[in-house]
Amino acid sequence: MSGQETTSPAPGGGTAPPVRKPSWKMIGPGMVVAATGVGAGDLVATLVAGSKFGHTLLWAAVIGCVVKIALAEATGRWHLATGRTIFDGWRSLGPWTTVYFAVYVVLWGFVYGATAMSSSALPLEALFPDVMPLKVWAILTGLVGLVFVWTNRYAIVEKIMMVFVGVMFVVVVYVAIRVAPDLPRVFAGLLPVLPSGSIVYTLGLVGGVGGTITMAAYGYWINAKGWTHSGWMKMMRLDNRVAYLTTGVFVIAMLIVGAELLHSSHIALASGDKGLLDLDEILADRFGPFTAKLFLIGFFAASFSSLVGVWHGVSLMFADFVERLRAARGMDAATGVAPLARGEQERSRPFRGYLLWLTFPPMVLLWLDKPFGLVIAYGVLGAFFMPFLAVTLLWLLNTDRTPRAWRNGPLSNVLLAASAVLFLVLCVQELRDLPW
């Protein structure tokens, strides 16, 4: 990688890795993880919060941005400080982490594949009505995502994701400006207030937007970028902060749209991703077809960027998972982050096998309602992932598994502990909401 660098003495003697000077030109992995984490479901959740409570919960979106910065920074710091992947760290905590991740990644991928394809298909069907059925659009988006990730490496994936981020950002901010926000009320929303009945929506805003398994994939993407040692720490932190501040602006803009366009008119959206199609019709009635079409393009960028990001990032995690299992059985040697930096895992059989798993088996669910047992199992495993990530990061980054110079400071511990409590509460809420 190009860029200025300096060397400094290592704490134990010798020479530390060269310190890379942060550069705006190298920002990328953070944008990939942010774009992947913000999907159609997050747009709907933010719109609904705005439609029900106006600007009152704006402060929750800001806190959510801080929480995501802390979690992603901790994940990236583990990869850079130790030269080991997050799954390698999980395995050091005991075999229970391997069992949980094995069940989770297989079941989650099966259900998420169908969800991602359907979300990407909805705006396409609305943009091109009567061209083909929704299920065909869904299959097409899955196949395009498969071919794109199969035939390209991280550098190209990053470039296309940056384009998606740009489209999402410009469209949503443009729509927020068009609805002419009441600025005094917007700023008043920065004061922490909990209206009656808002606790679930508040927790969802803080913990939900951009918070998925892809946060754990952040370390894999920074390694794939070529950032492989602690000399890249400052660059990683800049990359992470810029990405989630961008996400924060995006979420605030969506909340403003919900507050100004829906709250004042007492308009309710349909549940699920189809609620965004309702917003399309409202925008068309109020601002004309151009704004409505533009919003659908932003809707597609949010949905398809999540699909591409998961197809790439979680497949990297699965390839690492398989490599660690092979090493544990004496079949191969675990090789740290080097294969990621060289792009070897993107050509591996486990990577491509998981790509196929994300694409083809889930197509069955496009024709079937999700079986009751699958919904329950998926919900339970998914609810536990973010608490699992927060708690294990606290564990890994406060012990001798991490070099002393890069262990958690007081601020990191406070933010990660608060994240763990928040996600445990959300976990309980999600479990209660499952159709038992």
Side-chain angles (χ1 to χ4, degrees), residues 29 32-33 36 154 214 217-225 309 312-313 316:
V32 174
V33 73
T36 304
Y154 170 78
T214 53
Y218 180 53
Y220 291 83
W221 280 319
I222 64 175
N223 291 152
K225 178 82 169 176
H312 187 269
L316 280 179

Side-chain angles (χ1 to χ4, degrees), residues 288-331:
F290 174 78
T291 299
K293 297 291 185 187
L294 196 63
F295 176 75
L296 287 174
I297 293 171
F299 176 4
F300 174 74
S303 298
F304 193 65
S305 64
S306 292
L307 185 152
V308 170
V310 166
W311 263 230
H312 187 269
V314 184
S315 295
L316 280 179
M317 293 185 71
F318 183 79
D320 184 52
F321 167 71
V322 172
E323 181 182 345
R324 304 298 152 180
L325 289 183
R326 289 173 60 88
R329 295 175 182 175
M331 298 170 65

Side-chain angles (χ1 to χ4, degrees), residues 10 28 53 75 78 101 146 149 195 232 267 283 300 314 365 409 428:
F53 302 103
T75 304
W78 166 264
F101 185 78
L146 170 69
V149 175
W232 289 103
I267 298 172
L283 289 170
F300 174 74
V314 184
L365 296 181
V428 172

